[in-house]
Structures are given as C-alpha cells and as structure tokens.
Amino acid sequence: KEYIEQGREAELPDREFMLKQVQQERREPKAIEDGNETGLKYELTDITKERNGETLYQIRALKTFRPSGFSDPVLKGDLGGFVAKKENLSQDGGCWVSETGVVYGNAKIEGDAEIYGDAEIGGNARIQGKARIADARIKDNVIICDDVHIGAFVKGSSIEISGNVHISGNSFVNDGASISGNAKIKGAEINQARITGDVIIQNAIIGNKYYRGHEPEYVELKNHAVISGAKIRESALIGGNARVEGKVLITDNAEVTGNAYIHGTTTIRGMARITDDAEINGKGYEYQPWVTIGETTVLNGSAYIEQTADILHITDITQKRSFTFYPDRNGEIQATSRTMPLNIQNEFVKKVSEEFPEWVATGKTFYHQMGELAKAQIESQLAQRDNTDLSLSEDDLNELTNKKGQEL
C-alpha cells in the first residue's frame, strides 16, 4: 500500500517474496520457549531419499529455536534437510540441517553449526561450533569448528573437502576450493586453490575469488608447506618444506619449494622459482622497502636476499633464456640460468677462457665462472664509485646517467 501511494509500484518486490515475508511474520513466535513434552529438537519423517546406498530421512522441528546468530529461527513444524540417523544431528544446541542439505555415514553436526543449500556431509566428518556449510562436499575425517564459513556462491562451482583436514578460527572457504590430506587451516580465506598433504595455513589469503565466465586459476599448496599471514594468488605453487610468513605476496606462476623461507615484506611474481635453502628476508630499507622478484628469476642453494638490489637478473632478447646472480649466506656471489642453449654456454666459456685463462687451469665450473665474472664486475663498479667525486651538478649527473645507461 505504501509503495502504491508513493507511486513506486515498479520497486515492489516480487509476489512470492512478499508472501513469504507475510507468512514468516504471522508465524514469528512471541518467545523462543516453545517445545514438546519429550524435549527433542527434531524428529525423522517418512519422507526419504537415497544417497550413497543409505536411506536418508527428512527432519522436522519439534520446537522453535535459532540455529545461529546469522539465521532466522527454525519454527516448530518446519521441515529441514535429510539425515541417515539421529546420530548425524545433535538434539542439543542450535545445529540444524536445512533446505536440501544431506548428512549421512557417521558424520555429526553439533553445537550451533548449520548445513544448508546443497551441502553434503559424509564419512566421519565433524561440524561443530558456529560453522556454516553451504553447497560443499565434505567427507572422511574432516573437522570443521569455530566460526568457519564454507559456501559456493556461484552456480556451477564446487567445494571439496576430504581426508583429515581441520579447519578452525574465523576461516572462509569459497568457490573452487579443494582441500585434502592432513591440512590444518585457521583464520584463513581459501578461494580457488588445490590444497593437499600436510599444509598449514594461518591468517592467510589463498587464491583468487571465482567469477563466472572467467578462466579459473588455482593456487597449489602441497607437501609440508607452511603459510602464515601471506597472500598467495593466481596460479602460484608452494610446496616441499617451504615457509612463507609475513607481508608476502606470491602471485602469477611463481613457485616456492624445497626448504625455502620467504618472510618480511616480499613480492614474488612472474615465472620466478625459489627453491633449496634459499631465504628471502624483505627487511625494508629507506629506498628499498621490500623485495620484488619476478620474470624468470631462479634462486636456489643457500641464496640470501634482503633487498631487490641483491639480485642481478639478465634476460636475452627473446625472453626465453636468463641468468640470475645473487649472494648466498656467506656473501659469495652465485649464479643460475634457465633454458640456456648449448651454443650460448660454449660462447660464454670461450670468452671467459680468453679473459681469465687462470680459471680454466683451476677447473672452475661454468656457474663458478659466471659468479666470478659477476663478482669482478661488481667489485670494479664499487671501486670506481669509491674513487668518484660525487659532488656533481644536476647536468653532470644526467649526462653520466645517460652514458651509463647506453653502456649497459
């Protein structure tokens, strides 16, 4: 009536929605104390369906109660979802299975947990606390508790959780996530990701959100990786015994494996590969507040990086071959290369042999030669800098900068 009197008919909600609202208002109880003489919260009905070889029974509320602080009250007489037996859904607390949710096997819903949408809970799974599960498949020995929210909000996407996974804290698991193995997740946001093994995730954001029509990109976390406080995006991979902590962003197709340790304020992107015992510690400096690693950079061995300037990365014009020079924990300069053809390697060795014949006699490897050459170049630059009068005018400085840029 108010909409019509104000000439706002076009803004009227649809009829079905309005009827539902009116019916809900008429059924709203005066007090949340209604119940039945047996004290049970729900009963099984003769409405059934089959799932995984088990007969499931639709439940009906025997009293009015509120599942959690986020949901409307369940009213006496309301039909809920389907369970295989009364052991699947506790008669205590505010836990509930609503809509088309199903629970079977030895799974148990307890506390104030709520299962709704097309959620399917099986195996020995335990859903506790104030967890809310929608449109996800959960099985095996999974434990979900506290204020965890799991829900696929885009039609056509899915969430799969299995194995001995434990999810707790104020975690969110969204569309496109697949979690298995012995993963432990606490206070994290999990989006498009494939998580397996003994991965530990705490207070981190994993994967990009799913959008219909967009090509999915899955972060991969596996083995014994530990991620704390970091953001892992796009198609990045973290595996092995790698540890990623602090204000770290790893994105694109970057990979961190082995015993690598990434912490501080650091960004790793592109096709970068960090492995072995490499450590990146973005401590932050006045003019280099973080470490940024990208392109086809490779850091391995005992590499130790504190700022972006610690890395010299050289790529050929085709962008298909590259060299990376960097210091290790002992301050020695190391080098790696990627997809370098034999003719370039031979040409390099030939040039080095002509310039430094003493290296050939000592049997230095190709990589050692690269490292020695880089070290010699850097030491030469430092010596020139130490002997240079830095009291230059702005014009002199610009001229010098342009000259050095051309030489480089």
Side-chain angles (χ1 to χ4, degrees):
K1 182 179 176 181
E2 290 176 1
Y3 276 85
I4 294 172
E5 287 177 350
Q6 297 172 16
R8 298 165 55 202
E9 293 90 341
E11 300 178 31
L12 276 170
D14 63 82
R15 178 179 175 79
E16 183 180 350
F17 174 80
M18 292 182 68
L19 286 174
K20 186 176 180 181
Q21 290 294 100
V22 170
Q23 291 168 359
Q24 181 67 24
E25 288 175 6
R26 288 176 179 172
R27 294 176 62 192
E28 189 70 34
K30 297 295 182 181
I32 311 295
E33 296 179 352
D34 200 3
N36 69 309
E37 59 185 10
T38 65
L40 296 178
K41 182 170 63 179
Y42 70 92
E43 63 182 354
L44 305 183
T45 70
D46 58 357
I47 303 173
T48 63
K49 64 163 61 174
E50 298 295 318
R51 185 63 54 91
N52 263 27
E54 293 187 67
T55 300
L56 309 185
Y57 303 88
Q58 189 166 27
I59 59 175
R60 178 167 54 206
L62 293 175
K63 62 181 181 179
T64 294
F65 62 95
R66 185 180 294 276
S68 72
F70 299 97
S71 301
D72 293 329
V74 173
L75 305 179
K76 182 178 179 180
D78 279 355
L79 290 172
F82 291 78
V83 301
K85 51 193 175 186
K86 285 191 175 181
E87 288 76 12
N88 292 140
L89 177 63
S90 174
Q91 293 281 3
D92 300 321
C95 55
W96 186 245
V97 180
S98 60
E99 302 173 13
T100 54
V102 298
V103 184
Y104 54 88
N106 295 315
K108 191 160 186 176
I109 315 303
E110 303 171 305
D112 289 319
E114 185 178 2
I115 311 301
Y116 61 102
D118 291 324
E120 184 174 318
I121 317 297
N124 298 308
R126 293 289 182 272
I127 314 299
Q128 305 164 336
K130 294 184 178 180
R132 304 185 74 210
I133 315 295
D135 303 313
R137 292 170 57 90
I138 300 173
K139 58 184 181 179
D140 299 335
N141 301 308
V142 172
I143 297 177
I144 297 173
C145 57
D146 298 335
D147 295 315
V148 173
H149 289 216
I150 298 176
F153 302 104
V154 180
K155 189 174 182 180
S157 65
S158 64
I159 296 173
E160 302 277 344
I161 305 175
S162 60
N164 299 307
V165 172
H166 189 163
I167 306 177
S168 62
N170 189 26
S171 295
F172 291 81
V173 180
N174 300 318
D175 308 79
S178 174
I179 309 171
S180 61
N182 300 307
K184 301 289 185 292
I185 300 170
K186 184 176 182 180
E189 178 183 324
I190 312 296
N191 297 300
Q192 295 180 85
R194 300 287 182 260
I195 301 172
T196 59
D198 300 318
V199 171
I200 297 175
I201 304 169
Q202 185 169 354
N203 301 324
I205 298 176
I206 309 297
N208 292 347
K209 290 186 181 297
Y210 178 88
Y211 295 100
R212 187 181 300 168
H214 289 226
E215 189 69 24
E217 296 178 294
Y218 296 101
V219 164
E220 185 176 353
L221 307 180
K222 60 183 182 179
N223 306 129
H224 304 282
V226 177
I227 295 95
S228 176
K231 294 181 181 180
I232 317 297
R233 301 288 200 188
E234 309 297 343
S235 300
L237 182 151
I238 315 293
N241 297 307
R243 288 185 297 153
V244 180
E245 302 173 356
K247 298 179 180 179
V248 176
L249 170 62
I250 301 177
T251 186
D252 299 333
N253 293 293
E255 295 183 8
V256 179
T257 56
N259 297 310
Y261 181 28
I262 316 298
H263 56 119
T265 308
T266 301
T267 297
I268 302 174
R269 54 182 174 75
M271 298 286 291
R273 300 290 183 265
I274 317 297
T275 187
D276 295 341
D277 297 312
E279 179 179 352
I280 301 174
N281 179 10
K283 288 185 174 181
Y285 293 88
E286 185 176 359
Y287 299 107
Q288 292 286 350
W290 56 76
V291 175
T292 300
I293 297 173
E295 300 179 1
T296 53
T297 300
V298 177
L299 299 177
N300 56 23
S302 59
Y304 183 75
I305 309 299
E306 290 188 346
Q307 55 182 328
T308 305
D310 287 340
I311 302 169
L312 174 61
H313 185 74
I314 304 173
T315 306
D316 77 348
I317 197 168
T318 65
Q319 296 291 310
K320 293 181 180 179
R321 293 176 289 274
S322 63
F323 304 91
T324 305
F325 299 90
Y326 54 88
D328 62 17
R329 286 188 179 82
N330 297 318
E332 296 294 327
I333 296 174
Q334 305 296 333
T336 56
S337 70
R338 292 183 68 178
T339 61
M340 187 176 64
L342 186 61
N343 64 319
I344 290 184
Q345 179 172 328
N346 290 338
E347 185 67 21
F348 182 85
V349 172
K350 180 182 176 183
K351 277 295 244 186
V352 168
S353 299
E354 294 172 357
E355 296 271 348
F356 307 97
E358 67 275 13
W359 290 0
V360 178
T362 59
K364 287 185 179 292
T365 65
F366 169 66
Y367 287 128
H368 282 125
Q369 292 175 15
M370 290 174 63
E372 292 286 356
L373 182 59
K375 183 177 180 181
Q377 295 275 9
I378 292 169
E379 288 176 346
S380 174
Q381 293 286 348
L382 290 174
Q384 290 180 24
R385 185 195 66 182
D386 293 340
N387 295 324
T388 300
D389 179 8
L390 298 181
S391 303
L392 301 175
S393 67
E394 187 173 347
D395 291 339
D396 290 338
L397 186 59
N398 288 335
E399 183 181 352
L400 180 61
T401 302
N402 291 333
K403 183 180 178 183
K404 289 295 182 185
Q406 292 167 7
E407 291 175 359
L408 181 60

